[in-house]
Amino acid sequence: MGEVRKTHVLSPHNIISSPNTATLLLVGAEGMGKHKFASSIISQKTSFSLQIRTARRLPLPVDTEDTRPNIDYIVFIIDLTNRASISSMEASLKTLDCEYFLGRCCCIVHNANNTNLHGADIKNITGLCDAYHMPMLCAGFDEDKELKSISQKVLSLLQVACGARKWISPMIIEATRQSFTFQETL
């Protein structure tokens, strides 16, 4: 018989969260501005302690599982000028527990404005986001105003995911989300 390969699945509740603490994981290739984006998010005022981790891809190393905090929200950053970032995201999505797709992850499309530099079709990304029920945000990290705006949006989604917003849950956000697919009318 063939050997069964065990894949490590990242679950949002592997470890009990510390009170008033949220952990955000930014997943994307090197050189896309993850650290600049993380600094922008940290500079925002919050009512809770915020930790930000970065990774190039998932799954995360198993040897750090004991010391890793509970990850409340995951942001996949895709560069439209880099075709490899899309395939990396596709592979990473397969290693997530299905609970993350209920309002605990999103996709940020970087360099969406530079249509002449696109190495991938935006329809592939919207299809992927729709298939996994993930919100898709388009942003650039070059301008401070745009960086601050996207940081506030992600921080708002994180607040809902970690329970810092009263009366709002990831399930409510998911229930009100619109689909990216368009159906032809007869």
mmCIF file of all heavy atoms in Angstrom, residues 90-127:
data_model
loop_
_atom_site.group_PDB
_atom_site.id
_atom_site.type_symbol
_atom_site.label_atom_id
_atom_site.label_comp_id
_atom_site.label_asym_id
_atom_site.label_seq_id
_atom_site.Cartn_x
_atom_site.Cartn_y
_atom_site.Cartn_z
ATOM 1 N N GLU A 90 -2.887 29.304 -3.057
ATOM 2 C CA GLU A 90 -3.723 28.124 -3.299
ATOM 3 C C GLU A 90 -3.252 26.945 -2.460
ATOM 4 O O GLU A 90 -4.060 26.239 -1.850
ATOM 5 C CB GLU A 90 -3.711 27.749 -4.776
ATOM 6 C CG GLU A 90 -4.505 28.675 -5.656
ATOM 7 C CD GLU A 90 -4.384 28.331 -7.133
ATOM 8 O OE1 GLU A 90 -3.310 27.827 -7.552
ATOM 9 O OE2 GLU A 90 -5.352 28.562 -7.853
ATOM 10 N N ALA A 91 -1.944 26.739 -2.401
ATOM 11 C CA ALA A 91 -1.390 25.636 -1.608
ATOM 12 C C ALA A 91 -1.593 25.884 -0.114
ATOM 13 O O ALA A 91 -1.906 24.955 0.641
ATOM 14 C CB ALA A 91 0.093 25.453 -1.923
ATOM 15 N N SER A 92 -1.445 27.125 0.320
ATOM 16 C CA SER A 92 -1.600 27.464 1.731
ATOM 17 C C SER A 92 -3.035 27.290 2.204
ATOM 18 O O SER A 92 -3.281 26.861 3.334
ATOM 19 C CB SER A 92 -1.151 28.911 1.980
ATOM 20 O OG SER A 92 0.230 29.051 1.752
ATOM 21 N N LEU A 93 -3.999 27.624 1.356
ATOM 22 C CA LEU A 93 -5.403 27.514 1.733
ATOM 23 C C LEU A 93 -5.796 26.077 2.080
ATOM 24 O O LEU A 93 -6.659 25.847 2.924
ATOM 25 C CB LEU A 93 -6.299 28.038 0.612
ATOM 26 C CG LEU A 93 -6.321 29.549 0.440
ATOM 27 C CD1 LEU A 93 -7.041 29.933 -0.841
ATOM 28 C CD2 LEU A 93 -6.932 30.230 1.644
ATOM 29 N N LYS A 94 -5.137 25.124 1.449
ATOM 30 C CA LYS A 94 -5.452 23.714 1.678
ATOM 31 C C LYS A 94 -5.019 23.242 3.061
ATOM 32 O O LYS A 94 -5.432 22.177 3.508
ATOM 33 C CB LYS A 94 -4.807 22.849 0.605
ATOM 34 C CG LYS A 94 -5.397 23.108 -0.766
ATOM 35 C CD LYS A 94 -4.670 22.349 -1.838
ATOM 36 C CE LYS A 94 -5.226 22.715 -3.201
ATOM 37 N NZ LYS A 94 -4.490 22.087 -4.286
ATOM 38 N N THR A 95 -4.177 24.013 3.748
ATOM 39 C CA THR A 95 -3.677 23.612 5.061
ATOM 40 C C THR A 95 -4.418 24.299 6.206
ATOM 41 O O THR A 95 -4.008 24.176 7.349
ATOM 42 C CB THR A 95 -2.175 23.905 5.192
ATOM 43 O OG1 THR A 95 -1.969 25.313 5.168
ATOM 44 C CG2 THR A 95 -1.393 23.240 4.088
ATOM 45 N N LEU A 96 -5.499 25.015 5.894
ATOM 46 C CA LEU A 96 -6.266 25.707 6.924
ATOM 47 C C LEU A 96 -7.485 24.895 7.339
ATOM 48 O O LEU A 96 -8.126 24.255 6.507
ATOM 49 C CB LEU A 96 -6.758 27.071 6.424
ATOM 50 C CG LEU A 96 -5.751 28.185 6.335
ATOM 51 C CD1 LEU A 96 -6.438 29.453 5.847
ATOM 52 C CD2 LEU A 96 -5.072 28.434 7.643
ATOM 53 N N ASP A 97 -7.800 24.960 8.607
ATOM 54 C CA ASP A 97 -9.035 24.383 9.108
ATOM 55 C C ASP A 97 -10.200 25.190 8.526
ATOM 56 O O ASP A 97 -10.091 26.398 8.335
ATOM 57 C CB ASP A 97 -9.035 24.470 10.641
ATOM 58 C CG ASP A 97 -10.207 23.755 11.259
ATOM 59 O OD1 ASP A 97 -11.293 24.366 11.288
ATOM 60 O OD2 ASP A 97 -10.042 22.609 11.714
ATOM 61 N N CYS A 98 -11.309 24.533 8.270
ATOM 62 C CA CYS A 98 -12.454 25.193 7.626
ATOM 63 C C CYS A 98 -13.034 26.326 8.479
ATOM 64 O O CYS A 98 -13.683 27.227 7.947
ATOM 65 C CB CYS A 98 -13.537 24.186 7.266
ATOM 66 S SG CYS A 98 -14.228 23.319 8.673
ATOM 67 N N GLU A 99 -12.768 26.351 9.787
ATOM 68 C CA GLU A 99 -13.270 27.439 10.633
ATOM 69 C C GLU A 99 -12.685 28.793 10.244
ATOM 70 O O GLU A 99 -13.305 29.821 10.489
ATOM 71 C CB GLU A 99 -12.970 27.151 12.102
ATOM 72 C CG GLU A 99 -13.889 26.116 12.704
ATOM 73 C CD GLU A 99 -13.696 25.993 14.190
ATOM 74 O OE1 GLU A 99 -13.730 27.029 14.885
ATOM 75 O OE2 GLU A 99 -13.505 24.860 14.649
ATOM 76 N N TYR A 100 -11.501 28.811 9.656
ATOM 77 C CA TYR A 100 -10.914 30.081 9.224
ATOM 78 C C TYR A 100 -11.722 30.712 8.094
ATOM 79 O O TYR A 100 -11.698 31.923 7.906
ATOM 80 C CB TYR A 100 -9.462 29.898 8.780
ATOM 81 C CG TYR A 100 -8.492 29.989 9.916
ATOM 82 C CD1 TYR A 100 -7.802 28.874 10.357
ATOM 83 C CD2 TYR A 100 -8.251 31.191 10.567
ATOM 84 C CE1 TYR A 100 -6.919 28.940 11.400
ATOM 85 C CE2 TYR A 100 -7.369 31.277 11.618
ATOM 86 C CZ TYR A 100 -6.701 30.155 12.032
ATOM 87 O OH TYR A 100 -5.827 30.232 13.072
ATOM 88 N N PHE A 101 -12.449 29.904 7.349
ATOM 89 C CA PHE A 101 -13.213 30.438 6.222
ATOM 90 C C PHE A 101 -14.570 30.981 6.654
ATOM 91 O O PHE A 101 -15.388 31.343 5.830
ATOM 92 C CB PHE A 101 -13.361 29.370 5.141
ATOM 93 C CG PHE A 101 -12.031 28.870 4.659
ATOM 94 C CD1 PHE A 101 -11.679 27.546 4.806
ATOM 95 C CD2 PHE A 101 -11.116 29.741 4.085
ATOM 96 C CE1 PHE A 101 -10.445 27.086 4.381
ATOM 97 C CE2 PHE A 101 -9.878 29.292 3.665
ATOM 98 C CZ PHE A 101 -9.540 27.967 3.812
ATOM 99 N N LEU A 102 -14.788 31.056 7.940
ATOM 100 C CA LEU A 102 -16.010 31.647 8.486
ATOM 101 C C LEU A 102 -15.680 32.983 9.137
ATOM 102 O O LEU A 102 -15.883 33.195 10.322
ATOM 103 C CB LEU A 102 -16.661 30.694 9.494
ATOM 104 C CG LEU A 102 -17.077 29.339 8.936
ATOM 105 C CD1 LEU A 102 -17.553 28.418 10.048
ATOM 106 C CD2 LEU A 102 -18.155 29.514 7.884
ATOM 107 N N GLY A 103 -15.118 33.888 8.352
ATOM 108 C CA GLY A 103 -14.843 35.241 8.832
ATOM 109 C C GLY A 103 -13.532 35.424 9.552
ATOM 110 O O GLY A 103 -13.342 36.408 10.260
ATOM 111 N N ARG A 104 -12.584 34.507 9.361
ATOM 112 C CA ARG A 104 -11.305 34.616 10.055
ATOM 113 C C ARG A 104 -10.113 34.742 9.109
ATOM 114 O O ARG A 104 -8.971 34.576 9.516
ATOM 115 C CB ARG A 104 -11.099 33.422 10.981
ATOM 116 C CG ARG A 104 -12.120 33.364 12.094
ATOM 117 C CD ARG A 104 -11.804 32.254 13.068
ATOM 118 N NE ARG A 104 -12.828 32.130 14.068
ATOM 119 C CZ ARG A 104 -12.892 32.863 15.177
ATOM 120 N NH1 ARG A 104 -11.990 33.770 15.412
ATOM 121 N NH2 ARG A 104 -13.872 32.676 16.042
ATOM 122 N N CYS A 105 -10.383 35.030 7.840
ATOM 123 C CA CYS A 105 -9.281 35.264 6.900
ATOM 124 C C CYS A 105 -9.770 36.127 5.741
ATOM 125 O O CYS A 105 -10.972 36.217 5.488
ATOM 126 C CB CYS A 105 -8.680 33.955 6.388
ATOM 127 S SG CYS A 105 -9.777 32.956 5.383
ATOM 128 N N CYS A 106 -8.831 36.787 5.090
ATOM 129 C CA CYS A 106 -9.154 37.595 3.916
ATOM 130 C C CYS A 106 -7.954 37.590 2.975
ATOM 131 O O CYS A 106 -6.886 37.080 3.306
ATOM 132 C CB CYS A 106 -9.542 39.020 4.302
ATOM 133 S SG CYS A 106 -8.179 40.090 4.805
ATOM 134 N N CYS A 107 -8.159 38.161 1.820
ATOM 135 C CA CYS A 107 -7.112 38.242 0.806
ATOM 136 C C CYS A 107 -6.936 39.703 0.417
ATOM 137 O O CYS A 107 -7.913 40.399 0.140
ATOM 138 C CB CYS A 107 -7.529 37.415 -0.402
ATOM 139 S SG CYS A 107 -6.411 37.567 -1.795
ATOM 140 N N ILE A 108 -5.702 40.163 0.416
ATOM 141 C CA ILE A 108 -5.393 41.509 -0.069
ATOM 142 C C ILE A 108 -4.660 41.360 -1.386
ATOM 143 O O ILE A 108 -3.637 40.676 -1.464
ATOM 144 C CB ILE A 108 -4.536 42.298 0.939
ATOM 145 C CG1 ILE A 108 -5.339 42.561 2.207
ATOM 146 C CG2 ILE A 108 -4.062 43.598 0.318
ATOM 147 C CD1 ILE A 108 -4.579 43.317 3.269
ATOM 148 N N VAL A 109 -5.198 41.980 -2.418
ATOM 149 C CA VAL A 109 -4.582 41.945 -3.734
ATOM 150 C C VAL A 109 -3.741 43.207 -3.886
ATOM 151 O O VAL A 109 -4.265 44.312 -3.871
ATOM 152 C CB VAL A 109 -5.647 41.846 -4.851
ATOM 153 C CG1 VAL A 109 -4.984 41.828 -6.211
ATOM 154 C CG2 VAL A 109 -6.494 40.610 -4.656
ATOM 155 N N HIS A 110 -2.449 42.996 -4.010
ATOM 156 C CA HIS A 110 -1.470 44.084 -4.119
ATOM 157 C C HIS A 110 -1.159 44.315 -5.603
ATOM 158 O O HIS A 110 -1.119 43.376 -6.384
ATOM 159 C CB HIS A 110 -0.216 43.670 -3.344
ATOM 160 C CG HIS A 110 0.862 44.685 -3.293
ATOM 161 N ND1 HIS A 110 0.671 45.963 -2.830
ATOM 162 C CD2 HIS A 110 2.163 44.609 -3.637
ATOM 163 C CE1 HIS A 110 1.812 46.621 -2.897
ATOM 164 N NE2 HIS A 110 2.721 45.818 -3.382
ATOM 165 N N ASN A 111 -0.950 45.545 -5.989
ATOM 166 C CA ASN A 111 -0.647 45.952 -7.371
ATOM 167 C C ASN A 111 -1.811 45.703 -8.322
ATOM 168 O O ASN A 111 -1.609 45.420 -9.493
ATOM 169 C CB ASN A 111 0.605 45.245 -7.904
ATOM 170 C CG ASN A 111 1.867 45.796 -7.300
ATOM 171 O OD1 ASN A 111 1.953 46.994 -7.021
ATOM 172 N ND2 ASN A 111 2.850 44.958 -7.087
ATOM 173 N N ALA A 112 -3.033 45.832 -7.829
ATOM 174 C CA ALA A 112 -4.206 45.648 -8.685
ATOM 175 C C ALA A 112 -4.363 46.805 -9.673
ATOM 176 O O ALA A 112 -4.958 46.635 -10.734
ATOM 177 C CB ALA A 112 -5.466 45.514 -7.837
ATOM 178 N N ASN A 113 -3.831 47.968 -9.342
ATOM 179 C CA ASN A 113 -3.963 49.146 -10.210
ATOM 180 C C ASN A 113 -3.093 49.066 -11.456
ATOM 181 O O ASN A 113 -3.408 49.672 -12.469
ATOM 182 C CB ASN A 113 -3.614 50.420 -9.443
ATOM 183 C CG ASN A 113 -4.592 50.698 -8.322
ATOM 184 O OD1 ASN A 113 -5.641 50.076 -8.238
ATOM 185 N ND2 ASN A 113 -4.241 51.620 -7.460
ATOM 186 N N ASN A 114 -1.986 48.345 -11.397
ATOM 187 C CA ASN A 114 -1.044 48.255 -12.519
ATOM 188 C C ASN A 114 -1.448 47.131 -13.465
ATOM 189 O O ASN A 114 -0.809 46.094 -13.525
ATOM 190 C CB ASN A 114 0.387 48.022 -12.001
ATOM 191 C CG ASN A 114 0.836 49.104 -11.056
ATOM 192 O OD1 ASN A 114 0.367 50.229 -11.120
ATOM 193 N ND2 ASN A 114 1.747 48.759 -10.161
ATOM 194 N N THR A 115 -2.497 47.353 -14.236
ATOM 195 C CA THR A 115 -3.025 46.283 -15.095
ATOM 196 C C THR A 115 -2.042 45.830 -16.166
ATOM 197 O O THR A 115 -2.077 44.678 -16.573
ATOM 198 C CB THR A 115 -4.347 46.713 -15.766
ATOM 199 O OG1 THR A 115 -4.119 47.938 -16.464
ATOM 200 C CG2 THR A 115 -5.442 46.898 -14.746
ATOM 201 N N ASN A 116 -1.155 46.715 -16.602
ATOM 202 C CA ASN A 116 -0.200 46.309 -17.634
ATOM 203 C C ASN A 116 0.924 45.432 -17.081
ATOM 204 O O ASN A 116 1.635 44.792 -17.847
ATOM 205 C CB ASN A 116 0.380 47.533 -18.347
ATOM 206 C CG ASN A 116 1.036 48.508 -17.381
ATOM 207 O OD1 ASN A 116 0.777 48.492 -16.190
ATOM 208 N ND2 ASN A 116 1.875 49.381 -17.903
ATOM 209 N N LEU A 117 1.075 45.356 -15.760
ATOM 210 C CA LEU A 117 2.116 44.526 -15.144
ATOM 211 C C LEU A 117 1.579 43.195 -14.604
ATOM 212 O O LEU A 117 2.348 42.392 -14.079
ATOM 213 C CB LEU A 117 2.785 45.287 -13.993
ATOM 214 C CG LEU A 117 3.503 46.584 -14.346
ATOM 215 C CD1 LEU A 117 4.022 47.250 -13.078
ATOM 216 C CD2 LEU A 117 4.645 46.325 -15.304
ATOM 217 N N HIS A 118 0.276 42.964 -14.714
ATOM 218 C CA HIS A 118 -0.323 41.761 -14.130
ATOM 219 C C HIS A 118 0.239 40.489 -14.756
ATOM 220 O O HIS A 118 0.283 40.344 -15.961
ATOM 221 C CB HIS A 118 -1.837 41.771 -14.313
ATOM 222 C CG HIS A 118 -2.532 42.747 -13.429
ATOM 223 N ND1 HIS A 118 -3.888 42.875 -13.402
ATOM 224 C CD2 HIS A 118 -2.066 43.651 -12.526
ATOM 225 C CE1 HIS A 118 -4.225 43.807 -12.543
ATOM 226 N NE2 HIS A 118 -3.138 44.295 -12.004
ATOM 227 N N GLY A 119 0.661 39.590 -13.878
ATOM 228 C CA GLY A 119 1.116 38.280 -14.318
ATOM 229 C C GLY A 119 0.023 37.249 -14.170
ATOM 230 O O GLY A 119 0.185 36.095 -14.535
ATOM 231 N N ALA A 120 -1.101 37.668 -13.597
ATOM 232 C CA ALA A 120 -2.225 36.760 -13.373
ATOM 233 C C ALA A 120 -3.524 37.504 -13.596
ATOM 234 O O ALA A 120 -3.575 38.729 -13.517
ATOM 235 C CB ALA A 120 -2.165 36.211 -11.955
ATOM 236 N N ASP A 121 -4.560 36.748 -13.847
ATOM 237 C CA ASP A 121 -5.876 37.320 -14.088
ATOM 238 C C ASP A 121 -6.595 37.513 -12.756
ATOM 239 O O ASP A 121 -6.650 36.594 -11.937
ATOM 240 C CB ASP A 121 -6.667 36.388 -15.002
ATOM 241 C CG ASP A 121 -7.968 36.991 -15.487
ATOM 242 O OD1 ASP A 121 -8.211 38.196 -15.242
ATOM 243 O OD2 ASP A 121 -8.750 36.263 -16.125
ATOM 244 N N ILE A 122 -7.167 38.685 -12.552
ATOM 245 C CA ILE A 122 -7.881 38.980 -11.312
ATOM 246 C C ILE A 122 -9.099 38.070 -11.144
ATOM 247 O O ILE A 122 -9.505 37.770 -10.025
ATOM 248 C CB ILE A 122 -8.290 40.471 -11.249
ATOM 249 C CG1 ILE A 122 -8.811 40.850 -9.861
ATOM 250 C CG2 ILE A 122 -9.328 40.814 -12.269
ATOM 251 C CD1 ILE A 122 -7.794 41.385 -8.948
ATOM 252 N N LYS A 123 -9.644 37.568 -12.250
ATOM 253 C CA LYS A 123 -10.799 36.666 -12.168
ATOM 254 C C LYS A 123 -10.433 35.361 -11.465
ATOM 255 O O LYS A 123 -11.257 34.776 -10.777
ATOM 256 C CB LYS A 123 -11.344 36.372 -13.566
ATOM 257 C CG LYS A 123 -12.023 37.559 -14.201
ATOM 258 C CD LYS A 123 -12.522 37.223 -15.579
ATOM 259 C CE LYS A 123 -13.133 38.448 -16.240
ATOM 260 N NZ LYS A 123 -13.589 38.169 -17.594
ATOM 261 N N ASN A 124 -9.193 34.905 -11.625
ATOM 262 C CA ASN A 124 -8.751 33.697 -10.920
ATOM 263 C C ASN A 124 -8.749 33.919 -9.413
ATOM 264 O O ASN A 124 -9.113 33.030 -8.643
ATOM 265 C CB ASN A 124 -7.362 33.280 -11.382
ATOM 266 C CG ASN A 124 -7.337 32.832 -12.821
ATOM 267 O OD1 ASN A 124 -8.357 32.504 -13.397
ATOM 268 N ND2 ASN A 124 -6.157 32.844 -13.418
ATOM 269 N N ILE A 125 -8.327 35.108 -8.999
ATOM 270 C CA ILE A 125 -8.264 35.411 -7.571
ATOM 271 C C ILE A 125 -9.662 35.588 -6.997
ATOM 272 O O ILE A 125 -9.966 35.077 -5.920
ATOM 273 C CB ILE A 125 -7.394 36.653 -7.319
ATOM 274 C CG1 ILE A 125 -5.975 36.363 -7.782
ATOM 275 C CG2 ILE A 125 -7.408 37.036 -5.844
ATOM 276 C CD1 ILE A 125 -5.085 37.556 -7.844
ATOM 277 N N THR A 126 -10.536 36.290 -7.715
ATOM 278 C CA THR A 126 -11.902 36.456 -7.214
ATOM 279 C C THR A 126 -12.618 35.108 -7.146
ATOM 280 O O THR A 126 -13.380 34.855 -6.212
ATOM 281 C CB THR A 126 -12.728 37.442 -8.070
ATOM 282 O OG1 THR A 126 -12.702 37.029 -9.432
ATOM 283 C CG2 THR A 126 -12.214 38.857 -7.937
ATOM 284 N N GLY A 127 -12.345 34.231 -8.091
ATOM 285 C CA GLY A 127 -12.923 32.884 -8.055
ATOM 286 C C GLY A 127 -12.418 32.098 -6.860
ATOM 287 O O GLY A 127 -13.187 31.391 -6.193
#
